[in-house]
Amino acid sequence: MNKILEKKALSDVTKLMVVEAPQIARKARAGQFVIVLIHDKGERIPLTIADYDREAGTITMIFQEVGKSTMQMGTMQVGDSFKTIVGPLGHPTEIEKFGKVICVGGGVGIAPVYPIARELKEAGNYVISIIGARTKELLLWEDKMRAVSDELIVTTDDGSYGRKDLVTVPIKEILEAQPGQIARIWAIGPAIMMKFVAATTKPFNVPTIVSLNTIMVDGTGMCGGCRVLTDEGARFVCVDGPEFDAHRVDWNSLLSRMAFYRSEELQAVERWRKSHECKLESAVAKGVE
Amino acid sequence: MAESTRKKRVKIPRQDMPVQEAEDRVQNFTEVALGFTLELARLEAERCLQCKEPKCMEGCPVEVSIPEFIEAVRSGDMAKAVRIMKDKNNLPAICGRVCPQEVQCESRCILGKKGEPVAIGRIERFVGDFELEKNTFEVTRGPSTGKKVAVVGSGPASLTCAVDLARLGHDVTIFESLHTPGGVLVYGIPEFRLPKAVIRSEIETAAKALGIQILTDHVIGRTLTIDELAAQHDAIFLGTGAGLPMFMRIPGINLNGVMSANEFLTRVNLMRGYQFPDFDTPVKVGRKVAVIGAGNVAMDSARCSLRLQSLRGGAKGGEVHIVYRRSPAEVPARLEEVHHAEEEGVIFDFLTNPVEILGDDKGAVRAMRCIRMELGEPDASGRRSPIPIKGSEFEMEVDQVIMALGTSPNPLVFINANGLERSRHGTVVASQDTGRTTMEGVWAGGDVVTGAATVISAMGAGKRAAADIDLYLKGETKW
């Protein structure tokens, strides 16, 4: 159980893993997530289900190595097993025939937006997808996204690939060019990107859904660490979400809460790098002997 | 009993349990109360008058034959004491540590009328610990009935129900959502009050002997649903507890530094955050911590905070407050915990209630605006209700606020549970005597039915449900 069957590097810091998880694959739907725990001393981290194969009994997870746990996860190899993968958690995306929709994925957020775009397309929607990243190297799944979209726009912040723009620019262009035509927008990516997408679509009054990736411990409603302020009060991302109406989220509170453990995260990364470098050095030294 | 022996017995004072000294124990997470020695246990057992009509048993939710096991301890026959205990209580090492004996068995002890009651809980713990070490008692499985029971959750209600059913020969599978079994015993109660090794040992021993299968990482409602379990099992017991934390409806609850006791304790206990960075889950502790509420969970949070402050060298000038809107007389926590918390330096602010949490420019807690309270007429719970005193508001400087205001059942489990009725508080409607719910073949017990209560009352409910499930599976009673 929980064995890694396939591993691919999508960029230097972005990895894809296909993992054996038949029970989760059987139930998984677009928009849901899992909690993984690498080993006995690990922390429980939420990861979106980027894809699933019910017949093969597998799920696909894509993650960016940003903290100690994801860095360590990046060192796991095919054949290794996670201590825990639990899910599928959270509400699935509400899929129906809305008409013309936009799916926005930023960086590693392209992965979770993919199954949503696919299901929307299958439900008969006209899907315009916009995927963006800081630089070409961080873009992923362009082909897969193209295959499930009627139109695809690619942007990079630095212009190394596609349009040199933030994702908000083409969103605004479309909304201005096709007033009243867009029924709904999904946007998944870094919190700061989602905040600006929300600000961009608000004046056009287009329902905008974001998938939040806040700090979580259990992921089942028990700790409340993931709570987010909306104009209806505090909500738990793990059980009330992970998708929320972008226009009702208090983004500043969210961004500040996500940074709460920043110093501990840095400390853990520092420690991991040191112990890792030590191992590398000793391996190199041994090799020399 | 001869009158002279009786007089002699009455003269023996209630024996104290050895403890780690307060100044030492705030520096570590190891157990505070060290347990009786055999000598102390036997001396304390000597105090029991062996009443012909023992009242103590009436105070025990699982009806342990208290005078009998105490008599066995007195005579030094520990194996017998274990046998008597395990006939009713599968988890004595746990109950001896966490039961509020002062309001249960010990409150009925005849000795307590004039002096101090027999320390039943401490003797019970001694019996439980003896058994964990010596393994004298072999739980055995009855002849297989071929009936399959799904037990959802692995806290005290579920464990008790599972063990009783397996002893009767049913095939039991436990479904636990977290990665470790034990429920509130592992995520809620700290190591210094209930060591994880004790829980692991009690669970593993029973599961192994009885062939109980424990499936962790199964969130019922998501991974599988009640309807799916019902299709594959002859009966279902729901002991999913009350895991959903409540927050006060006051401004500022989403500031950084405000958290539920559930989050704080889960980080500390289940994830071993106090050993960060050796363990990956971080946990923060403030310089001035306010814990809101005065139940066991509040005491645990306050005492974990003190320890984290000491361990991280921030003890100087560090403060931990219990902020409670009622008076000392209404404190719901177990007496021993309040006493230990006081000894360790927790500051109690009674008749005080927060009305707003104030943040700094970075969105972190800097203070709490509180109001003083006074006690009015008794409310529905029988406790005098607190009333705010006008104009008594004041600011309390704090940098962490832990909400320990109680919990309600986690609603996830009820996804696709057709016909399962719940109260408006979110608890499952179930018979007090049998645990039967409104859905055929589904029983429930413990906090998921009562709302947050005690370990032992949950165990009592698990026991009653197991007895009824057994009758039902044997066809001796209809739904």
Side-chain angles (χ1 to χ4, degrees):
Chain A
M1 278 272 273
N2 306 336
K3 199 197 273 183
I4 301 171
L5 302 177
E6 193 188 328
K7 181 187 171 187
K8 249 196 284 191
L10 301 179
S11 78
D12 274 356
V13 290
T14 317
K15 307 263 155 75
L16 171 149
M17 278 179 184
V18 178
V19 187
E20 181 182 47
Q23 275 187 313
I24 301 172
R26 200 169 67 83
K27 281 283 171 70
R29 287 168 62 190
Q32 291 188 299
F33 67 95
V34 289
I35 292 264
V36 304
L37 180 63
I38 302 176
H39 54 75
D40 283 326
K41 294 185 173 183
E43 61 181 328
R44 295 170 65 97
I45 49 174
L47 289 172
T48 326
I49 301 172
D51 205 352
Y52 49 83
D53 184 331
R54 298 199 206 285
E55 274 170 33
T58 60
I59 60 166
T60 302
M61 304 184 289
I62 291 180
F63 59 95
Q64 205 168 358
E65 296 172 6
V66 285
K68 188 257 174 184
S69 292
T70 41
M71 285 177 183
Q72 189 167 11
M73 209 171 130
T75 65
M76 292 173 78
Q77 301 298 335
V78 170
D80 290 348
S81 290
F82 285 85
K83 172 169 167 62
T84 287
I85 302 183
V86 60
L89 300 168
H91 289 289
T93 306
E94 191 193 326
I95 303 280
E96 52 183 86
K97 191 172 174 186
F98 296 102
K100 203 181 244 191
V101 297
I102 303 179
C103 291
V104 185
V108 76
I110 300 167
V113 103
Y114 165 72
I116 297 174
R118 183 179 62 188
E119 291 195 14
L120 284 167
K121 177 77 186 151
E122 281 166 7
N125 291 284
Y126 184 91
V127 179
I128 303 171
S129 293
I130 302 170
I131 59 171
R134 220 164 51 237
T135 183
K136 182 187 176 191
E137 152 79 350
L138 295 172
L139 275 172
L140 53 100
W141 280 9
E142 186 188 344
D143 293 351
K144 286 182 84 147
M145 284 301 290
R146 194 178 300 281
V148 298
S149 310
D150 293 283
E151 294 175 38
L152 179 75
I153 299 164
V154 184
T155 70
T156 50
D157 297 5
D158 64 359
S160 52
Y161 189 76
R163 288 175 53 169
K164 181 180 186 300
D165 268 321
L166 297 171
V167 291
T168 45
V169 180
I171 296 174
K172 196 172 176 207
E173 285 171 7
I174 296 168
L175 294 176
E176 278 171 347
Q178 308 177 36
Q181 296 292 299
I182 305 300
R184 208 172 261 232
I185 298 175
W186 279 261
I188 308 180
I192 193 76
M193 179 205 97
M194 296 192 282
K195 175 184 169 172
F196 282 104
V197 170
T200 306
T201 64
K202 182 105 203 260
F204 297 92
N205 227 350
V206 180
T208 304
I209 315 291
V210 286
S211 178
L212 302 179
N213 187 7
T214 49
I215 291 167
M216 283 184 195
V217 186
D218 62 292
T220 63
M222 215 180 80
C223 77
C226 63
R227 67 195 188 280
V228 56
L229 274 188
T230 71
D231 60 7
E232 297 169 299
R235 290 287 179 272
F236 288 5
V237 171
C238 66
V239 289
D240 299 319
E243 295 189 351
F244 287 89
D245 179 340
H247 300 150
R248 310 187 83 159
V249 171
D250 180 336
W251 290 100
N252 291 338
S253 162
L254 179 95
L255 285 162
S256 130
R257 283 186 66 80
M258 285 181 75
F260 187 45
Y261 289 97
R262 183 69 43 85
S263 67
E264 284 82 359
E265 281 161 15
L266 291 174
Q267 188 191 347
V269 164
E270 178 83 349
R271 197 166 177 264
W272 166 254
R273 284 217 171 104
K274 265 192 191 144
S275 75
H276 224 59
E277 277 161 16
C278 285
K279 274 185 205 150
L280 272 178
E281 276 165 21
S282 73
V284 169
K286 266 184 198 158
V288 169
E289 277 169 19
Chain B
M1 193 184 302
E3 200 50 33
S4 61
T5 340
R6 191 184 168 99
K7 268 185 191 154
K8 229 191 277 167
R9 286 187 165 190
V10 174
K11 280 201 182 129
I12 305 169
R14 178 175 159 113
Q15 299 299 303
D16 282 331
M17 187 161 42
V19 292
Q20 269 198 74
E21 290 304 323
E23 55 268 33
D24 298 331
R25 70 189 190 230
V26 292
Q27 316 270 350
N28 64 58
F29 271 82
T30 52
E31 200 167 16
V32 168
L34 303 170
F36 273 163
T37 57
L38 178 62
E39 290 69 34
L40 282 173
R42 291 188 66 181
L43 188 58
E44 184 62 32
E46 192 78 46
R47 297 180 65 228
C48 175
L49 297 179
Q50 293 293 318
C51 302
K52 286 216 171 58
E53 284 172 39
K55 297 281 181 226
C56 49
M57 284 175 65
E58 292 170 12
C60 177
V62 297
E63 298 161 357
V64 168
S65 305
I66 295 167
E68 270 189 69
F69 93 77
I70 292 184
E71 177 55 24
V73 171
R74 193 196 62 79
S75 69
D77 189 348
M78 288 305 298
K80 186 178 177 191
V82 171
R83 237 176 14 251
I84 297 163
M85 176 68 73
K86 290 245 169 171
D87 183 43
K88 296 285 187 188
N89 184 347
N90 299 309
L91 311 167
I94 293 172
C95 292
R97 285 173 169 82
V98 303
C99 268
Q101 290 95 1
E102 70 270 14
V103 296
Q104 295 179 344
C105 51
E106 293 181 16
S107 74
R108 317 287 177 97
C109 177
I110 204 83
L111 285 185
K113 295 259 189 286
K114 282 186 184 162
E116 290 201 274
V118 175
I120 302 169
R122 294 172 189 172
I123 307 178
E124 176 187 32
R125 170 179 162 171
F126 180 75
V127 172
D129 286 356
F130 171 89
E131 181 56 15
L132 284 182
E133 201 183 308
K134 300 279 182 351
N135 272 315
T136 62
F137 181 76
E138 206 187 320
V139 255
T140 47
R141 231 192 120 166
S144 175
T145 60
K147 299 286 185 188
K148 290 172 75 181
V149 186
V151 171
V152 187
S154 64
S158 292
L159 286 175
T160 306
C161 186
V163 168
D164 279 11
L165 287 169
R167 282 171 89 163
L168 293 162
H170 305 297
D171 278 334
V172 179
T173 307
I174 291 180
F175 296 88
E176 164 57 42
S177 66
L178 292 172
H179 55 275
T180 310
V184 71
L185 302 172
V186 292
Y187 75 73
I189 303 179
E191 180 75 18
F192 57 79
R193 197 148 83 76
L194 178 62
K196 302 285 166 287
V198 170
I199 309 163
R200 198 164 50 235
S201 181
E202 293 253 43
I203 295 177
E204 278 174 9
T205 313
K208 210 172 150 199
L210 296 168
I212 297 170
Q213 197 186 4
I214 302 178
L215 299 177
T216 53
D217 309 323
H218 280 67
V219 180
I220 302 306
R222 288 286 181 212
T223 316
L224 292 167
T225 64
I226 294 288
D227 283 351
E228 286 170 308
L229 289 182
Q232 292 158 9
H233 296 83
D234 300 295
I236 297 173
F237 176 77
L238 288 184
T240 45
L244 214 64
M246 294 181 200
F247 286 90
M248 294 183 89
R249 290 176 186 275
I250 57 173
I253 62 140
N254 235 40
L255 290 166
N256 271 333
V258 183
M259 60 192 70
S260 70
N262 259 9
E263 175 179 357
F264 181 67
L265 291 175
T266 301
R267 285 179 182 275
V268 173
N269 301 325
L270 177 73
M271 306 311 295
R272 311 252 300 255
Y274 63 94
Q275 285 167 294
F276 178 86
D278 286 339
F279 281 71
D280 291 340
T281 306
V283 60
K284 284 204 194 266
V285 69
R287 207 171 58 78
K288 292 205 167 159
V289 181
V291 179
I292 318 299
N296 287 320
V297 172
M299 298 303 143
D300 287 343
S301 304
R303 297 173 67 198
C304 283
S305 301
L306 277 179
R307 282 161 176 75
L308 285 171
Q309 284 179 339
S310 298
L311 286 173
R312 295 185 180 167
K316 260 191 200 142
E319 279 176 21
V320 178
H321 294 248
I322 289 268
V323 177
Y324 184 46
R325 62 199 181 118
R326 300 180 198 248
S327 81
E330 288 82 26
V331 166
R334 203 171 167 255
L335 203 59
E336 187 179 77
E337 310 316 326
V338 179
H339 175 65
H340 281 157
E342 275 171 344
E343 277 183 352
E344 288 166 10
V346 173
I347 301 160
F348 286 78
D349 298 307
F350 292 109
L351 295 165
T352 305
N353 205 26
V355 290
E356 182 179 3
I357 302 166
L358 307 164
D360 62 16
D361 51 1
K362 292 194 181 93
V365 175
R366 66 163 183 85
M368 217 164 54
R369 207 153 54 78
C370 297
I371 191 162
R372 300 279 185 210
M373 312 291 279
E374 60 189 349
L375 292 181
E377 295 300 310
D379 62 13
S381 72
R383 295 181 298 181
R384 295 178 63 191
S385 57
I387 301 163
I389 301 171
K390 270 202 185 106
S392 68
E393 290 186 13
F394 67 101
E395 230 175 71
M396 185 176 172
E397 190 207 325
V398 293
D399 56 1
Q400 184 170 18
V401 179
I402 301 174
M403 301 268 177
L405 302 157
T407 47
S408 58
N410 192 329
L412 273 189
V413 71
F414 306 113
I415 297 172
N416 287 347
N418 290 313
L420 196 69
E421 198 184 310
R422 286 186 290 153
S423 75
R424 65 189 171 89
H425 301 294
T427 52
V428 172
V429 176
S431 150
Q432 159 82 20
D433 299 331
T434 63
R436 287 189 187 192
T437 67
T438 54
M439 183 175 172
E440 180 162 357
V442 180
W443 284 254
D447 288 0
V448 75
V449 173
T450 56
T454 63
V455 168
I456 192 72
S457 65
M459 288 175 59
K463 258 193 135 45
R464 290 190 298 277
D468 192 59
I469 292 170
D470 181 54
L471 291 177
Y472 173 83
L473 292 178
K474 284 186 196 147
E476 289 171 21
T477 167
K478 285 212 159 56
W479 185 261

PDB file of all heavy atoms in Angstrom, chain A residues 237-251:
ATOM      1  N   VAL A 237     -10.901  24.842   5.684  1.00  0.00           N
ATOM      2  CA  VAL A 237     -10.587  24.471   4.304  1.00  0.00           C
ATOM      3  C   VAL A 237     -10.750  22.962   4.097  1.00  0.00           C
ATOM      4  O   VAL A 237     -11.258  22.507   3.091  1.00  0.00           O
ATOM      5  CB  VAL A 237      -9.153  24.925   3.926  1.00  0.00           C
ATOM      6  CG1 VAL A 237      -8.732  24.353   2.574  1.00  0.00           C
ATOM      7  CG2 VAL A 237      -9.090  26.451   3.881  1.00  0.00           C
ATOM      8  N   CYS A 238     -10.358  22.173   5.112  1.00  0.00           N
ATOM      9  CA  CYS A 238     -10.360  20.714   4.937  1.00  0.00           C
ATOM     10  C   CYS A 238     -11.761  20.132   4.768  1.00  0.00           C
ATOM     11  O   CYS A 238     -11.941  19.234   3.957  1.00  0.00           O
ATOM     12  CB  CYS A 238      -9.642  20.037   6.092  1.00  0.00           C
ATOM     13  SG  CYS A 238     -10.446  20.205   7.687  1.00  0.00           S
ATOM     14  N   VAL A 239     -12.736  20.604   5.509  1.00  0.00           N
ATOM     15  CA  VAL A 239     -14.080  20.024   5.397  1.00  0.00           C
ATOM     16  C   VAL A 239     -15.083  20.912   4.671  1.00  0.00           C
ATOM     17  O   VAL A 239     -16.016  20.411   4.055  1.00  0.00           O
ATOM     18  CB  VAL A 239     -14.671  19.588   6.770  1.00  0.00           C
ATOM     19  CG1 VAL A 239     -13.943  18.374   7.288  1.00  0.00           C
ATOM     20  CG2 VAL A 239     -14.660  20.709   7.769  1.00  0.00           C
ATOM     21  N   ASP A 240     -14.916  22.246   4.746  1.00  0.00           N
ATOM     22  CA  ASP A 240     -15.849  23.138   4.041  1.00  0.00           C
ATOM     23  C   ASP A 240     -15.360  23.391   2.620  1.00  0.00           C
ATOM     24  O   ASP A 240     -16.127  23.787   1.751  1.00  0.00           O
ATOM     25  CB  ASP A 240     -15.980  24.478   4.777  1.00  0.00           C
ATOM     26  CG  ASP A 240     -16.519  24.310   6.184  1.00  0.00           C
ATOM     27  OD1 ASP A 240     -17.444  23.494   6.351  1.00  0.00           O
ATOM     28  OD2 ASP A 240     -16.018  24.973   7.109  1.00  0.00           O
ATOM     29  N   GLY A 241     -14.058  23.181   2.392  1.00  0.00           N
ATOM     30  CA  GLY A 241     -13.442  23.447   1.099  1.00  0.00           C
ATOM     31  C   GLY A 241     -13.015  22.160   0.441  1.00  0.00           C
ATOM     32  O   GLY A 241     -13.715  21.173   0.581  1.00  0.00           O
ATOM     33  N   PRO A 242     -11.905  22.122  -0.285  1.00  0.00           N
ATOM     34  CA  PRO A 242     -10.911  23.209  -0.347  1.00  0.00           C
ATOM     35  C   PRO A 242     -11.305  24.352  -1.283  1.00  0.00           C
ATOM     36  O   PRO A 242     -10.635  25.367  -1.307  1.00  0.00           O
ATOM     37  CB  PRO A 242      -9.650  22.501  -0.879  1.00  0.00           C
ATOM     38  CG  PRO A 242     -10.175  21.365  -1.694  1.00  0.00           C
ATOM     39  CD  PRO A 242     -11.445  20.922  -1.014  1.00  0.00           C
ATOM     40  N   GLU A 243     -12.427  24.207  -2.029  1.00  0.00           N
ATOM     41  CA  GLU A 243     -12.790  25.272  -2.961  1.00  0.00           C
ATOM     42  C   GLU A 243     -13.666  26.323  -2.277  1.00  0.00           C
ATOM     43  O   GLU A 243     -14.548  25.984  -1.487  1.00  0.00           O
ATOM     44  CB  GLU A 243     -13.515  24.676  -4.176  1.00  0.00           C
ATOM     45  CG  GLU A 243     -12.596  23.774  -4.982  1.00  0.00           C
ATOM     46  CD  GLU A 243     -13.202  23.335  -6.306  1.00  0.00           C
ATOM     47  OE1 GLU A 243     -14.406  23.596  -6.537  1.00  0.00           O
ATOM     48  OE2 GLU A 243     -12.457  22.742  -7.105  1.00  0.00           O
ATOM     49  N   PHE A 244     -13.382  27.562  -2.587  1.00  0.00           N
ATOM     50  CA  PHE A 244     -14.150  28.672  -2.023  1.00  0.00           C
ATOM     51  C   PHE A 244     -14.432  29.697  -3.099  1.00  0.00           C
ATOM     52  O   PHE A 244     -13.713  29.775  -4.098  1.00  0.00           O
ATOM     53  CB  PHE A 244     -13.371  29.337  -0.880  1.00  0.00           C
ATOM     54  CG  PHE A 244     -13.330  28.510   0.376  1.00  0.00           C
ATOM     55  CD1 PHE A 244     -12.310  27.577   0.560  1.00  0.00           C
ATOM     56  CD2 PHE A 244     -14.312  28.637   1.344  1.00  0.00           C
ATOM     57  CE1 PHE A 244     -12.283  26.793   1.708  1.00  0.00           C
ATOM     58  CE2 PHE A 244     -14.287  27.864   2.490  1.00  0.00           C
ATOM     59  CZ  PHE A 244     -13.267  26.935   2.681  1.00  0.00           C
ATOM     60  N   ASP A 245     -15.467  30.482  -2.850  1.00  0.00           N
ATOM     61  CA  ASP A 245     -15.771  31.624  -3.697  1.00  0.00           C
ATOM     62  C   ASP A 245     -14.681  32.673  -3.457  1.00  0.00           C
ATOM     63  O   ASP A 245     -14.573  33.225  -2.366  1.00  0.00           O
ATOM     64  CB  ASP A 245     -17.158  32.161  -3.293  1.00  0.00           C
ATOM     65  CG  ASP A 245     -17.568  33.380  -4.111  1.00  0.00           C
ATOM     66  OD1 ASP A 245     -16.672  34.030  -4.704  1.00  0.00           O
ATOM     67  OD2 ASP A 245     -18.774  33.682  -4.136  1.00  0.00           O
ATOM     68  N   ALA A 246     -13.890  32.903  -4.482  1.00  0.00           N
ATOM     69  CA  ALA A 246     -12.709  33.773  -4.343  1.00  0.00           C
ATOM     70  C   ALA A 246     -13.073  35.175  -3.868  1.00  0.00           C
ATOM     71  O   ALA A 246     -12.284  35.842  -3.206  1.00  0.00           O
ATOM     72  CB  ALA A 246     -11.973  33.866  -5.673  1.00  0.00           C
ATOM     73  N   HIS A 247     -14.283  35.611  -4.191  1.00  0.00           N
ATOM     74  CA  HIS A 247     -14.665  36.985  -3.845  1.00  0.00           C
ATOM     75  C   HIS A 247     -15.076  37.129  -2.383  1.00  0.00           C
ATOM     76  O   HIS A 247     -15.299  38.225  -1.904  1.00  0.00           O
ATOM     77  CB  HIS A 247     -15.796  37.461  -4.776  1.00  0.00           C
ATOM     78  CG  HIS A 247     -15.404  37.452  -6.225  1.00  0.00           C
ATOM     79  ND1 HIS A 247     -16.296  37.251  -7.239  1.00  0.00           N
ATOM     80  CD2 HIS A 247     -14.181  37.602  -6.820  1.00  0.00           C
ATOM     81  CE1 HIS A 247     -15.657  37.276  -8.405  1.00  0.00           C
ATOM     82  NE2 HIS A 247     -14.371  37.481  -8.168  1.00  0.00           N
ATOM     83  N   ARG A 248     -15.212  35.999  -1.685  1.00  0.00           N
ATOM     84  CA  ARG A 248     -15.648  36.081  -0.289  1.00  0.00           C
ATOM     85  C   ARG A 248     -14.514  35.808   0.690  1.00  0.00           C
ATOM     86  O   ARG A 248     -14.705  35.830   1.896  1.00  0.00           O
ATOM     87  CB  ARG A 248     -16.773  35.071  -0.055  1.00  0.00           C
ATOM     88  CG  ARG A 248     -17.866  35.182  -1.115  1.00  0.00           C
ATOM     89  CD  ARG A 248     -19.030  34.315  -0.790  1.00  0.00           C
ATOM     90  NE  ARG A 248     -19.893  35.016   0.152  1.00  0.00           N
ATOM     91  CZ  ARG A 248     -21.170  34.729   0.331  1.00  0.00           C
ATOM     92  NH1 ARG A 248     -21.733  33.745  -0.340  1.00  0.00           N
ATOM     93  NH2 ARG A 248     -21.893  35.393   1.201  1.00  0.00           N
ATOM     94  N   VAL A 249     -13.326  35.504   0.154  1.00  0.00           N
ATOM     95  CA  VAL A 249     -12.194  35.152   1.016  1.00  0.00           C
ATOM     96  C   VAL A 249     -11.455  36.409   1.483  1.00  0.00           C
ATOM     97  O   VAL A 249     -11.232  37.326   0.703  1.00  0.00           O
ATOM     98  CB  VAL A 249     -11.211  34.232   0.246  1.00  0.00           C
ATOM     99  CG1 VAL A 249      -9.913  34.026   1.012  1.00  0.00           C
ATOM    100  CG2 VAL A 249     -11.886  32.898  -0.064  1.00  0.00           C
ATOM    101  N   ASP A 250     -11.092  36.431   2.756  1.00  0.00           N
ATOM    102  CA  ASP A 250     -10.254  37.505   3.281  1.00  0.00           C
ATOM    103  C   ASP A 250      -8.797  37.125   2.999  1.00  0.00           C
ATOM    104  O   ASP A 250      -8.162  36.379   3.738  1.00  0.00           O
ATOM    105  CB  ASP A 250     -10.485  37.656   4.795  1.00  0.00           C
ATOM    106  CG  ASP A 250      -9.637  38.755   5.421  1.00  0.00           C
ATOM    107  OD1 ASP A 250      -8.572  39.090   4.852  1.00  0.00           O
ATOM    108  OD2 ASP A 250     -10.025  39.269   6.481  1.00  0.00           O
ATOM    109  N   TRP A 251      -8.284  37.638   1.879  1.00  0.00           N
ATOM    110  CA  TRP A 251      -6.971  37.203   1.384  1.00  0.00           C
ATOM    111  C   TRP A 251      -5.822  37.621   2.286  1.00  0.00           C
ATOM    112  O   TRP A 251      -4.839  36.891   2.436  1.00  0.00           O
ATOM    113  CB  TRP A 251      -6.754  37.701  -0.047  1.00  0.00           C
ATOM    114  CG  TRP A 251      -7.650  36.984  -1.003  1.00  0.00           C
ATOM    115  CD1 TRP A 251      -8.834  37.440  -1.525  1.00  0.00           C
ATOM    116  CD2 TRP A 251      -7.473  35.653  -1.503  1.00  0.00           C
ATOM    117  NE1 TRP A 251      -9.403  36.471  -2.323  1.00  0.00           N
ATOM    118  CE2 TRP A 251      -8.582  35.367  -2.338  1.00  0.00           C
ATOM    119  CE3 TRP A 251      -6.492  34.680  -1.332  1.00  0.00           C
ATOM    120  CZ2 TRP A 251      -8.740  34.155  -2.994  1.00  0.00           C
ATOM    121  CZ3 TRP A 251      -6.632  33.476  -1.991  1.00  0.00           C
ATOM    122  CH2 TRP A 251      -7.741  33.210  -2.807  1.00  0.00           C
TER     123      TRP A 251
END
